[in-house]
Amino acid sequence: MGKAGSMKIAAQRGGKPAALGSAVRQPERRGHSRGNKAPAPASAANAATGDDTEITALSLPATELSPSMQAYFAKCEEKLGFVPNVLKAYGFNSAKLEAFAAMYNDLMLAPSGLSKLEREMIAVAVSSVNRCYYCLVAHGAAVRQLSGDPVLGELMVMNYRAARLSERQRAMLDFAVKLTEQPWAVEEADRERLRRTGFTDADIWDISAVAGFFNMSNRVASATDMRPNSVYHALTR
Amino acid sequence: MGKAGSMKIAAQRGGKPAALGSAVRQPERRGHSRGNKAPAPASAANAATGDDTEITALSLPATELSPSMQAYFAKCEEKLGFVPNVLKAYGFNSAKLEAFAAMYNDLMLAPSGLSKLEREMIAVAVSSVNRCYYCLVAHGAAVRQLSGDPVLGELMVMNYRAARLSERQRAMLDFAVKLTEQPWAVEEADRERLRRTGFTDADIWDISAVAGFFNMSNRVASATDMRPNSVYHALTR
Amino acid sequence: MGKAGSMKIAAQRGGKPAALGSAVRQPERRGHSRGNKAPAPASAANAATGDDTEITALSLPATELSPSMQAYFAKCEEKLGFVPNVLKAYGFNSAKLEAFAAMYNDLMLAPSGLSKLEREMIAVAVSSVNRCYYCLVAHGAAVRQLSGDPVLGELMVMNYRAARLSERQRAMLDFAVKLTEQPWAVEEADRERLRRTGFTDADIWDISAVAGFFNMSNRVASATDMRPNSVYHALTR
Amino acid sequence: MGKAGSMKIAAQRGGKPAALGSAVRQPERRGHSRGNKAPAPASAANAATGDDTEITALSLPATELSPSMQAYFAKCEEKLGFVPNVLKAYGFNSAKLEAFAAMYNDLMLAPSGLSKLEREMIAVAVSSVNRCYYCLVAHGAAVRQLSGDPVLGELMVMNYRAARLSERQRAMLDFAVKLTEQPWAVEEADRERLRRTGFTDADIWDISAVAGFFNMSNRVASATDMRPNSVYHALTR
Amino acid sequence: MGKAGSMKIAAQRGGKPAALGSAVRQPERRGHSRGNKAPAPASAANAATGDDTEITALSLPATELSPSMQAYFAKCEEKLGFVPNVLKAYGFNSAKLEAFAAMYNDLMLAPSGLSKLEREMIAVAVSSVNRCYYCLVAHGAAVRQLSGDPVLGELMVMNYRAARLSERQRAMLDFAVKLTEQPWAVEEADRERLRRTGFTDADIWDISAVAGFFNMSNRVASATDMRPNSVYHALTR
Amino acid sequence: MGKAGSMKIAAQRGGKPAALGSAVRQPERRGHSRGNKAPAPASAANAATGDDTEITALSLPATELSPSMQAYFAKCEEKLGFVPNVLKAYGFNSAKLEAFAAMYNDLMLAPSGLSKLEREMIAVAVSSVNRCYYCLVAHGAAVRQLSGDPVLGELMVMNYRAARLSERQRAMLDFAVKLTEQPWAVEEADRERLRRTGFTDADIWDISAVAGFFNMSNRVASATDMRPNSVYHALTR
């Protein structure tokens, strides 16, 4: 099944994270139990405490995963050693999970004039504008892995303008970031700049669709306080 | 087939639009042929000229629609009298079209604690922030139709704050708009406000997912200069 | 009397609106009576309920209109079938009404190098930046009427950049919108662009004055929650 | 004639400025003659050079002032010792000048629940948001004169939040500035705050109208590079 | 001692301000004593009341100035007739005061390819973006003094784009303001523009360092509600 | 010598970086030599190539370090294994370097009511608003080291609002970020919130001064394209 290749993380560090044993476990509700407003000081506990078990701030009713999604999660476990938390978050509803996974896999993994690394670079540059913790952690790791260059991942998170990019990749990210910040102002001149640096119209669609997708995902993640698997942090450093 | 119900437009005015006869016709490339920079003055021709035939600014290679998408388009023609241009735009690639349609139909038409009208109100309020012409036209029409209230559609397009809304719907739109403008600043207090006005955590997911989806669609439409079917403009006025 | 030509609406649909029988009736105060915070849900009542009778959120002491303003209102009734709500709002004070009407009529109706349609296009593009419900409804209708093109009205409301405009009109609106968003940054280069597309210095004054005027009107309307006559919504659709 | 009282400046320093001898002299066109892009360095010449003779960047055809406007200008000369440049700028067209003067005089000088100083404070706080050189100079001087407090004028120009204001005046300026920056977000709660600090609904109208007026004037001045009479700078320091 | 030259003000008006007799007096805490929220109306008292004695809103424990800083303050009194309030504010801690004074004196007074006036122009243009009352008053006075041109000081405070500047100085201020507003977007093209107008790389460092310094000082002043010595207001008007 | 403790990095990975052998080597000029606009594609070379040798985009004349600064650099080499690039960048001028180091060491290392970790958290949260690559890398590493929590460093870089912070630390960072984004709007209420969570007025000074300092440093780094030592990236991951 090709979809299993959709998981971006090819290895983990330090063995199987305990929290990933039960992929269909529902996230516990944190929102209400945090009502007393007294979290432990950051210096007194690891800031990632709970990230692997409390995936979102929403308490959503558990459902049985569809057989195809059960297989998908099993494939993740097998290949990555864990199921990305975004999938577990969507897992409260198999129809939503399937729609999300289908779109994600087409955009990020299907053949395209953009390399997989370029698509991940767009993902992170867009997520940086939107300051999305989940997506910056998960896709920052993907940029590090696909490029083999930890610094490139940092640059995409911090300020893509500071990276030493080819003219092509700079134009690609400028388009994606303008589309994120001022979608109303994207016009023919912006598309023409992409064509001048060698992108086809199909490539322009893909740049737009990936940038659009992360403008969606960033917001679902921020709206629900989605937490990344803690395993991402140390990958390819 | 339930999906056919996904088309928001139940009727058309003045007979079948000529342009909709061949749903799988590919959009012609406008971008390059407009290079001479001399469009007719707005006062000399209808501003919608070409909207039904030149759907995007991209010239994308034609492909055969998959059988299920052919059936989907036929259903649109039968029920609505036309195929929404966004579907024709995605139709250059059946995999992308299927993923888009699956997610759209789940979000906007599947059972939810939000009414279909409420989901369309979110669609338009978000699209107003992003000033997306395609989505404001198509989903503004949907708000008019589902509410039977033309003025409500206008208010969602122009400034939702000026509408006389219930406390519930105001909170819903405030959340969606904040999530659009400042996703990084959405926190537990925002979710709590929704809970206080009666939304469940599953509803919060749906508000977030719909707001997120239109933050994606707005950008794909703006990036490609997507044009709405002209039939939308006069619906339910 | 030439001023009567100042009303932008040449016809109405479906007979004389009942609410317009008494042009000098003062607006009732809504602000305080709405203190209970329980408006009917949008789906349970027409969103325009009250728009023709509760013109602003302010309760202003009634005064007798001056004879010239009485004649002006009578002319509106005769020619348009109604008195625009902005005039009724200003009508609590004849001196203010006269000053407003004099400036409005000079700017929008007196001879100018800009057509009346162009002045209305500026009005709507500026009001779109400021998201002014009153002005978008009233002047969006004017664009539809003067151009005979409903879509052009929609485009000015939603995103003028998506319209197929002549170079002249695009330059005109770019100037008006920059002047609205960043007045401090308008400089000689901006004026030069207008001159290059054929505008005279007198035209530049008029573009600036119309853009300026709606930056004023948008704020008076928003500050007072001014509501447009409901008859505007369906005009020239 | 009461209107002559509309000029805000009751005295001048160092005798009658030469440039004011001929109130109807038209401004010379600077825009084109500055084409060589070589202004003298600021350190080599007074930065106000030309401000009293080159009033705007537009070259507008001269016309004869109407008799009432001639009388108005004469009154300015008599009472102030000069004609404010904004009046000379509008003077290329008596109808526009009359409309402007009528609205200005009603707003800033007619009886109101706001003192003249308070109206000037709004003028300057609004002009500070819009960074309008003409209005900050002319109305900053008015605040200094009407209050007898040079520092208050500076505070309105620089940051009204740093001034030691009464709760009433702070609420008034907060409203005017929000209306300037985010007119779409002004709602009943904003009006209620004004009512709670003692403003009547007629006062709210006046705050809104003055704030609106300077949002207009700021833009006309910025669009035309309008220069203030140099006499303003030293008044009441 | 060369450092004493760092005080920008070479003269005072009307004799020695009484408040400056004791340079090391600590600022009194205003923050808490203002808890009753009833300041006198602006029109009833001079807006600068207390500025010379209540220097910040913080109540900081008094300490003995180090001997070198005592000498520095004495030099200020001797040469300027007063100690600038920013020095008194920092004076609660001699180490902090010494570090601040050393950096300030190097940046603003040491040899540089930028004139002292140019450095003060940067200071004011940056402080205008940040709307810092203290810095606009103190350094606006410095621009007036160093240029001998009161209008140039006003222009830097209000909108530097309205000043008649040399190409060199305009480029310098554009760089400083972009660096203030969007530091993340400053790139090689911005540095190249400076080089083209004659700045060396050492000059670019100095422009950046001065702009950076006032982005710091503006924030310390705003955070503590620092008040300028009232003597600044009337200097070189 | 206490100052040597100012270097934030207590250890290095994989031995002494080659590039740090000569601390006083001047940065080479990249700006001009990059004129051909053809950097290698990011995927073809490590994105950090040159970061350790080309420290800024400016070509500054080399000078001899003062003896005290030579000792300071030697101490860095001894304790950290390298000299932070910011010090080498300032090293073209010993007076500027000394002033910078004195202020930095006082702010970040001297006794304070804020822990060193808290000061570094402010540094990173401010640098995140300003998207400063140098400061995010260097001070992100410091947060990871001082807290022993790699995730906390990531959170400060990406979005501090997503971190599980104590009420005290959240208030501290909210103040620092507001001061960064809208310094003009910081008022007594903001200071009062800090006091309510236990900060003294001296602490408020320190929060302000640290936030101010990084608003300076961020801009000097961005203006000069300053590059961090590559050794930072992998520290405490």
PDB file of all heavy atoms in Angstrom, chain A residues 195-222:
ATOM      1  N   ARG A 195       6.878  31.387 -13.601  1.00  0.00           N
ATOM      2  CA  ARG A 195       7.136  30.808 -14.933  1.00  0.00           C
ATOM      3  C   ARG A 195       8.543  31.187 -15.402  1.00  0.00           C
ATOM      4  O   ARG A 195       9.236  30.377 -16.006  1.00  0.00           O
ATOM      5  CB  ARG A 195       6.088  31.322 -15.925  1.00  0.00           C
ATOM      6  CG  ARG A 195       4.677  30.758 -15.663  1.00  0.00           C
ATOM      7  CD  ARG A 195       3.663  31.288 -16.683  1.00  0.00           C
ATOM      8  NE  ARG A 195       2.297  30.864 -16.361  1.00  0.00           N
ATOM      9  CZ  ARG A 195       1.288  31.703 -16.115  1.00  0.00           C
ATOM     10  NH1 ARG A 195       1.465  33.018 -16.176  1.00  0.00           N
ATOM     11  NH2 ARG A 195       0.095  31.226 -15.817  1.00  0.00           N
ATOM     12  N   ARG A 196       8.951  32.388 -15.099  1.00  0.00           N
ATOM     13  CA  ARG A 196      10.288  32.814 -15.543  1.00  0.00           C
ATOM     14  C   ARG A 196      11.409  32.012 -14.888  1.00  0.00           C
ATOM     15  O   ARG A 196      12.494  31.896 -15.429  1.00  0.00           O
ATOM     16  CB  ARG A 196      10.495  34.303 -15.224  1.00  0.00           C
ATOM     17  CG  ARG A 196       9.912  35.246 -16.250  1.00  0.00           C
ATOM     18  CD  ARG A 196      10.530  36.637 -16.134  1.00  0.00           C
ATOM     19  NE  ARG A 196      10.454  37.161 -14.786  1.00  0.00           N
ATOM     20  CZ  ARG A 196       9.413  37.798 -14.271  1.00  0.00           C
ATOM     21  NH1 ARG A 196       8.330  38.016 -15.009  1.00  0.00           N
ATOM     22  NH2 ARG A 196       9.422  38.234 -13.038  1.00  0.00           N
ATOM     23  N   THR A 197      11.159  31.507 -13.687  1.00  0.00           N
ATOM     24  CA  THR A 197      12.210  30.707 -13.047  1.00  0.00           C
ATOM     25  C   THR A 197      12.032  29.229 -13.341  1.00  0.00           C
ATOM     26  O   THR A 197      12.662  28.393 -12.687  1.00  0.00           O
ATOM     27  CB  THR A 197      12.239  30.944 -11.525  1.00  0.00           C
ATOM     28  OG1 THR A 197      10.934  30.752 -10.985  1.00  0.00           O
ATOM     29  CG2 THR A 197      12.698  32.357 -11.223  1.00  0.00           C
ATOM     30  N   GLY A 198      11.160  28.903 -14.283  1.00  0.00           N
ATOM     31  CA  GLY A 198      11.127  27.535 -14.771  1.00  0.00           C
ATOM     32  C   GLY A 198       9.958  26.682 -14.323  1.00  0.00           C
ATOM     33  O   GLY A 198       9.879  25.496 -14.668  1.00  0.00           O
ATOM     34  N   PHE A 199       9.055  27.255 -13.551  1.00  0.00           N
ATOM     35  CA  PHE A 199       7.910  26.454 -13.112  1.00  0.00           C
ATOM     36  C   PHE A 199       6.846  26.396 -14.205  1.00  0.00           C
ATOM     37  O   PHE A 199       6.566  27.395 -14.870  1.00  0.00           O
ATOM     38  CB  PHE A 199       7.299  27.061 -11.840  1.00  0.00           C
ATOM     39  CG  PHE A 199       8.163  26.905 -10.626  1.00  0.00           C
ATOM     40  CD1 PHE A 199       8.885  27.986 -10.123  1.00  0.00           C
ATOM     41  CD2 PHE A 199       8.263  25.681  -9.977  1.00  0.00           C
ATOM     42  CE1 PHE A 199       9.691  27.852  -9.000  1.00  0.00           C
ATOM     43  CE2 PHE A 199       9.065  25.548  -8.839  1.00  0.00           C
ATOM     44  CZ  PHE A 199       9.778  26.630  -8.360  1.00  0.00           C
ATOM     45  N   THR A 200       6.259  25.216 -14.381  1.00  0.00           N
ATOM     46  CA  THR A 200       5.126  25.071 -15.297  1.00  0.00           C
ATOM     47  C   THR A 200       3.842  25.489 -14.581  1.00  0.00           C
ATOM     48  O   THR A 200       3.828  25.681 -13.365  1.00  0.00           O
ATOM     49  CB  THR A 200       4.959  23.601 -15.730  1.00  0.00           C
ATOM     50  OG1 THR A 200       4.586  22.850 -14.552  1.00  0.00           O
ATOM     51  CG2 THR A 200       6.271  23.046 -16.291  1.00  0.00           C
ATOM     52  N   ASP A 201       2.767  25.587 -15.352  1.00  0.00           N
ATOM     53  CA  ASP A 201       1.489  25.905 -14.717  1.00  0.00           C
ATOM     54  C   ASP A 201       1.057  24.795 -13.764  1.00  0.00           C
ATOM     55  O   ASP A 201       0.422  25.068 -12.732  1.00  0.00           O
ATOM     56  CB  ASP A 201       0.426  26.167 -15.783  1.00  0.00           C
ATOM     57  CG  ASP A 201       0.497  27.610 -16.299  1.00  0.00           C
ATOM     58  OD1 ASP A 201       1.564  28.246 -16.175  1.00  0.00           O
ATOM     59  OD2 ASP A 201      -0.525  28.116 -16.806  1.00  0.00           O
ATOM     60  N   ALA A 202       1.397  23.583 -14.064  1.00  0.00           N
ATOM     61  CA  ALA A 202       1.072  22.491 -13.131  1.00  0.00           C
ATOM     62  C   ALA A 202       1.856  22.656 -11.828  1.00  0.00           C
ATOM     63  O   ALA A 202       1.335  22.398 -10.739  1.00  0.00           O
ATOM     64  CB  ALA A 202       1.372  21.134 -13.769  1.00  0.00           C
ATOM     65  N   ASP A 203       3.088  23.105 -11.964  1.00  0.00           N
ATOM     66  CA  ASP A 203       3.880  23.376 -10.753  1.00  0.00           C
ATOM     67  C   ASP A 203       3.253  24.506  -9.937  1.00  0.00           C
ATOM     68  O   ASP A 203       3.244  24.463  -8.698  1.00  0.00           O
ATOM     69  CB  ASP A 203       5.309  23.796 -11.114  1.00  0.00           C
ATOM     70  CG  ASP A 203       6.100  22.701 -11.821  1.00  0.00           C
ATOM     71  OD1 ASP A 203       5.755  21.509 -11.684  1.00  0.00           O
ATOM     72  OD2 ASP A 203       7.057  23.065 -12.528  1.00  0.00           O
ATOM     73  N   ILE A 204       2.767  25.528 -10.631  1.00  0.00           N
ATOM     74  CA  ILE A 204       2.142  26.650  -9.908  1.00  0.00           C
ATOM     75  C   ILE A 204       0.923  26.157  -9.142  1.00  0.00           C
ATOM     76  O   ILE A 204       0.685  26.553  -8.002  1.00  0.00           O
ATOM     77  CB  ILE A 204       1.767  27.787 -10.888  1.00  0.00           C
ATOM     78  CG1 ILE A 204       3.040  28.347 -11.537  1.00  0.00           C
ATOM     79  CG2 ILE A 204       0.991  28.889 -10.175  1.00  0.00           C
ATOM     80  CD1 ILE A 204       2.768  29.389 -12.621  1.00  0.00           C
ATOM     81  N   TRP A 205       0.168  25.269  -9.774  1.00  0.00           N
ATOM     82  CA  TRP A 205      -0.958  24.672  -9.045  1.00  0.00           C
ATOM     83  C   TRP A 205      -0.441  23.980  -7.782  1.00  0.00           C
ATOM     84  O   TRP A 205      -0.987  24.170  -6.699  1.00  0.00           O
ATOM     85  CB  TRP A 205      -1.699  23.663  -9.925  1.00  0.00           C
ATOM     86  CG  TRP A 205      -2.812  23.006  -9.177  1.00  0.00           C
ATOM     87  CD1 TRP A 205      -2.714  21.964  -8.300  1.00  0.00           C
ATOM     88  CD2 TRP A 205      -4.199  23.404  -9.175  1.00  0.00           C
ATOM     89  NE1 TRP A 205      -3.940  21.677  -7.766  1.00  0.00           N
ATOM     90  CE2 TRP A 205      -4.866  22.528  -8.282  1.00  0.00           C
ATOM     91  CE3 TRP A 205      -4.921  24.386  -9.840  1.00  0.00           C
ATOM     92  CZ2 TRP A 205      -6.232  22.630  -8.040  1.00  0.00           C
ATOM     93  CZ3 TRP A 205      -6.289  24.480  -9.604  1.00  0.00           C
ATOM     94  CH2 TRP A 205      -6.933  23.624  -8.715  1.00  0.00           C
ATOM     95  N   ASP A 206       0.609  23.208  -7.922  1.00  0.00           N
ATOM     96  CA  ASP A 206       1.093  22.441  -6.774  1.00  0.00           C
ATOM     97  C   ASP A 206       1.636  23.356  -5.668  1.00  0.00           C
ATOM     98  O   ASP A 206       1.384  23.118  -4.478  1.00  0.00           O
ATOM     99  CB  ASP A 206       2.176  21.448  -7.212  1.00  0.00           C
ATOM    100  CG  ASP A 206       1.581  20.268  -8.003  1.00  0.00           C
ATOM    101  OD1 ASP A 206       0.344  20.144  -8.046  1.00  0.00           O
ATOM    102  OD2 ASP A 206       2.365  19.497  -8.577  1.00  0.00           O
ATOM    103  N   ILE A 207       2.353  24.382  -6.040  1.00  0.00           N
ATOM    104  CA  ILE A 207       2.825  25.337  -5.025  1.00  0.00           C
ATOM    105  C   ILE A 207       1.628  25.927  -4.273  1.00  0.00           C
ATOM    106  O   ILE A 207       1.608  26.014  -3.042  1.00  0.00           O
ATOM    107  CB  ILE A 207       3.651  26.468  -5.675  1.00  0.00           C
ATOM    108  CG1 ILE A 207       4.949  25.907  -6.280  1.00  0.00           C
ATOM    109  CG2 ILE A 207       3.972  27.565  -4.656  1.00  0.00           C
ATOM    110  CD1 ILE A 207       5.690  26.921  -7.161  1.00  0.00           C
ATOM    111  N   SER A 208       0.619  26.307  -5.045  1.00  0.00           N
ATOM    112  CA  SER A 208      -0.568  26.935  -4.452  1.00  0.00           C
ATOM    113  C   SER A 208      -1.322  25.954  -3.563  1.00  0.00           C
ATOM    114  O   SER A 208      -1.795  26.318  -2.475  1.00  0.00           O
ATOM    115  CB  SER A 208      -1.502  27.430  -5.565  1.00  0.00           C
ATOM    116  OG  SER A 208      -0.799  28.270  -6.454  1.00  0.00           O
ATOM    117  N   ALA A 209      -1.428  24.735  -4.040  1.00  0.00           N
ATOM    118  CA  ALA A 209      -2.202  23.742  -3.294  1.00  0.00           C
ATOM    119  C   ALA A 209      -1.500  23.352  -1.999  1.00  0.00           C
ATOM    120  O   ALA A 209      -2.148  23.181  -0.955  1.00  0.00           O
ATOM    121  CB  ALA A 209      -2.448  22.512  -4.166  1.00  0.00           C
ATOM    122  N   VAL A 210      -0.173  23.240  -2.051  1.00  0.00           N
ATOM    123  CA  VAL A 210       0.564  22.912  -0.816  1.00  0.00           C
ATOM    124  C   VAL A 210       0.496  24.090   0.158  1.00  0.00           C
ATOM    125  O   VAL A 210       0.240  23.905   1.357  1.00  0.00           O
ATOM    126  CB  VAL A 210       2.026  22.529  -1.135  1.00  0.00           C
ATOM    127  CG1 VAL A 210       2.842  22.387   0.154  1.00  0.00           C
ATOM    128  CG2 VAL A 210       2.064  21.232  -1.943  1.00  0.00           C
ATOM    129  N   ALA A 211       0.709  25.291  -0.353  1.00  0.00           N
ATOM    130  CA  ALA A 211       0.607  26.463   0.525  1.00  0.00           C
ATOM    131  C   ALA A 211      -0.796  26.564   1.111  1.00  0.00           C
ATOM    132  O   ALA A 211      -0.968  26.865   2.303  1.00  0.00           O
ATOM    133  CB  ALA A 211       0.960  27.735  -0.251  1.00  0.00           C
ATOM    134  N   GLY A 212      -1.799  26.315   0.283  1.00  0.00           N
ATOM    135  CA  GLY A 212      -3.176  26.353   0.772  1.00  0.00           C
ATOM    136  C   GLY A 212      -3.417  25.301   1.837  1.00  0.00           C
ATOM    137  O   GLY A 212      -3.999  25.583   2.892  1.00  0.00           O
ATOM    138  N   PHE A 213      -2.941  24.090   1.575  1.00  0.00           N
ATOM    139  CA  PHE A 213      -3.161  22.988   2.517  1.00  0.00           C
ATOM    140  C   PHE A 213      -2.604  23.322   3.902  1.00  0.00           C
ATOM    141  O   PHE A 213      -3.252  23.059   4.920  1.00  0.00           O
ATOM    142  CB  PHE A 213      -2.513  21.710   1.985  1.00  0.00           C
ATOM    143  CG  PHE A 213      -2.729  20.519   2.862  1.00  0.00           C
ATOM    144  CD1 PHE A 213      -3.896  19.773   2.773  1.00  0.00           C
ATOM    145  CD2 PHE A 213      -1.780  20.142   3.802  1.00  0.00           C
ATOM    146  CE1 PHE A 213      -4.100  18.673   3.599  1.00  0.00           C
ATOM    147  CE2 PHE A 213      -1.975  19.044   4.626  1.00  0.00           C
ATOM    148  CZ  PHE A 213      -3.138  18.312   4.524  1.00  0.00           C
ATOM    149  N   PHE A 214      -1.413  23.913   3.937  1.00  0.00           N
ATOM    150  CA  PHE A 214      -0.852  24.197   5.260  1.00  0.00           C
ATOM    151  C   PHE A 214      -1.509  25.417   5.904  1.00  0.00           C
ATOM    152  O   PHE A 214      -1.549  25.524   7.132  1.00  0.00           O
ATOM    153  CB  PHE A 214       0.672  24.257   5.214  1.00  0.00           C
ATOM    154  CG  PHE A 214       1.229  22.869   5.161  1.00  0.00           C
ATOM    155  CD1 PHE A 214       1.502  22.261   3.939  1.00  0.00           C
ATOM    156  CD2 PHE A 214       1.370  22.127   6.318  1.00  0.00           C
ATOM    157  CE1 PHE A 214       1.942  20.941   3.890  1.00  0.00           C
ATOM    158  CE2 PHE A 214       1.809  20.815   6.270  1.00  0.00           C
ATOM    159  CZ  PHE A 214       2.096  20.214   5.057  1.00  0.00           C
ATOM    160  N   ASN A 215      -2.071  26.292   5.123  1.00  0.00           N
ATOM    161  CA  ASN A 215      -2.895  27.327   5.717  1.00  0.00           C
ATOM    162  C   ASN A 215      -4.138  26.729   6.371  1.00  0.00           C
ATOM    163  O   ASN A 215      -4.669  27.307   7.326  1.00  0.00           O
ATOM    164  CB  ASN A 215      -3.270  28.379   4.668  1.00  0.00           C
ATOM    165  CG  ASN A 215      -2.234  29.486   4.586  1.00  0.00           C
ATOM    166  OD1 ASN A 215      -2.155  30.312   5.500  1.00  0.00           O
ATOM    167  ND2 ASN A 215      -1.401  29.479   3.558  1.00  0.00           N
ATOM    168  N   MET A 216      -4.591  25.614   5.856  1.00  0.00           N
ATOM    169  CA  MET A 216      -5.678  24.893   6.516  1.00  0.00           C
ATOM    170  C   MET A 216      -5.159  24.166   7.766  1.00  0.00           C
ATOM    171  O   MET A 216      -5.677  24.350   8.863  1.00  0.00           O
ATOM    172  CB  MET A 216      -6.310  23.883   5.567  1.00  0.00           C
ATOM    173  CG  MET A 216      -7.370  23.004   6.235  1.00  0.00           C
ATOM    174  SD  MET A 216      -8.158  21.837   5.081  1.00  0.00           S
ATOM    175  CE  MET A 216      -6.788  20.672   4.824  1.00  0.00           C
ATOM    176  N   SER A 217      -4.149  23.350   7.573  1.00  0.00           N
ATOM    177  CA  SER A 217      -3.661  22.512   8.684  1.00  0.00           C
ATOM    178  C   SER A 217      -3.160  23.348   9.851  1.00  0.00           C
ATOM    179  O   SER A 217      -3.397  23.002  11.013  1.00  0.00           O
ATOM    180  CB  SER A 217      -2.527  21.607   8.195  1.00  0.00           C
ATOM    181  OG  SER A 217      -3.017  20.691   7.249  1.00  0.00           O
ATOM    182  N   ASN A 218      -2.456  24.409   9.548  1.00  0.00           N
ATOM    183  CA  ASN A 218      -1.984  25.297  10.611  1.00  0.00           C
ATOM    184  C   ASN A 218      -3.158  25.735  11.488  1.00  0.00           C
ATOM    185  O   ASN A 218      -3.036  25.827  12.708  1.00  0.00           O
ATOM    186  CB  ASN A 218      -1.366  26.569  10.015  1.00  0.00           C
ATOM    187  CG  ASN A 218      -0.038  26.367   9.305  1.00  0.00           C
ATOM    188  OD1 ASN A 218       0.439  27.270   8.633  1.00  0.00           O
ATOM    189  ND2 ASN A 218       0.584  25.196   9.416  1.00  0.00           N
ATOM    190  N   ARG A 219      -4.275  26.034  10.839  1.00  0.00           N
ATOM    191  CA  ARG A 219      -5.414  26.549  11.615  1.00  0.00           C
ATOM    192  C   ARG A 219      -6.140  25.459  12.399  1.00  0.00           C
ATOM    193  O   ARG A 219      -6.590  25.689  13.522  1.00  0.00           O
ATOM    194  CB  ARG A 219      -6.351  27.315  10.690  1.00  0.00           C
ATOM    195  CG  ARG A 219      -5.735  28.665  10.322  1.00  0.00           C
ATOM    196  CD  ARG A 219      -6.492  29.442   9.283  1.00  0.00           C
ATOM    197  NE  ARG A 219      -5.886  30.768   9.136  1.00  0.00           N
ATOM    198  CZ  ARG A 219      -4.838  31.038   8.344  1.00  0.00           C
ATOM    199  NH1 ARG A 219      -4.289  30.088   7.610  1.00  0.00           N
ATOM    200  NH2 ARG A 219      -4.350  32.273   8.306  1.00  0.00           N
ATOM    201  N   VAL A 220      -6.252  24.283  11.819  1.00  0.00           N
ATOM    202  CA  VAL A 220      -6.847  23.191  12.588  1.00  0.00           C
ATOM    203  C   VAL A 220      -5.956  22.871  13.794  1.00  0.00           C
ATOM    204  O   VAL A 220      -6.447  22.679  14.908  1.00  0.00           O
ATOM    205  CB  VAL A 220      -7.062  21.950  11.694  1.00  0.00           C
ATOM    206  CG1 VAL A 220      -7.522  20.753  12.532  1.00  0.00           C
ATOM    207  CG2 VAL A 220      -8.085  22.259  10.602  1.00  0.00           C
ATOM    208  N   ALA A 221      -4.668  22.872  13.570  1.00  0.00           N
ATOM    209  CA  ALA A 221      -3.747  22.563  14.669  1.00  0.00           C
ATOM    210  C   ALA A 221      -3.785  23.642  15.750  1.00  0.00           C
ATOM    211  O   ALA A 221      -3.848  23.341  16.945  1.00  0.00           O
ATOM    212  CB  ALA A 221      -2.326  22.399  14.127  1.00  0.00           C
ATOM    213  N   SER A 222      -3.763  24.913  15.337  1.00  0.00           N
ATOM    214  CA  SER A 222      -3.789  25.994  16.329  1.00  0.00           C
ATOM    215  C   SER A 222      -5.122  26.039  17.062  1.00  0.00           C
ATOM    216  O   SER A 222      -5.168  26.316  18.261  1.00  0.00           O
ATOM    217  CB  SER A 222      -3.521  27.342  15.649  1.00  0.00           C
ATOM    218  OG  SER A 222      -2.185  27.387  15.170  1.00  0.00           O
TER     219      SER A 222
END
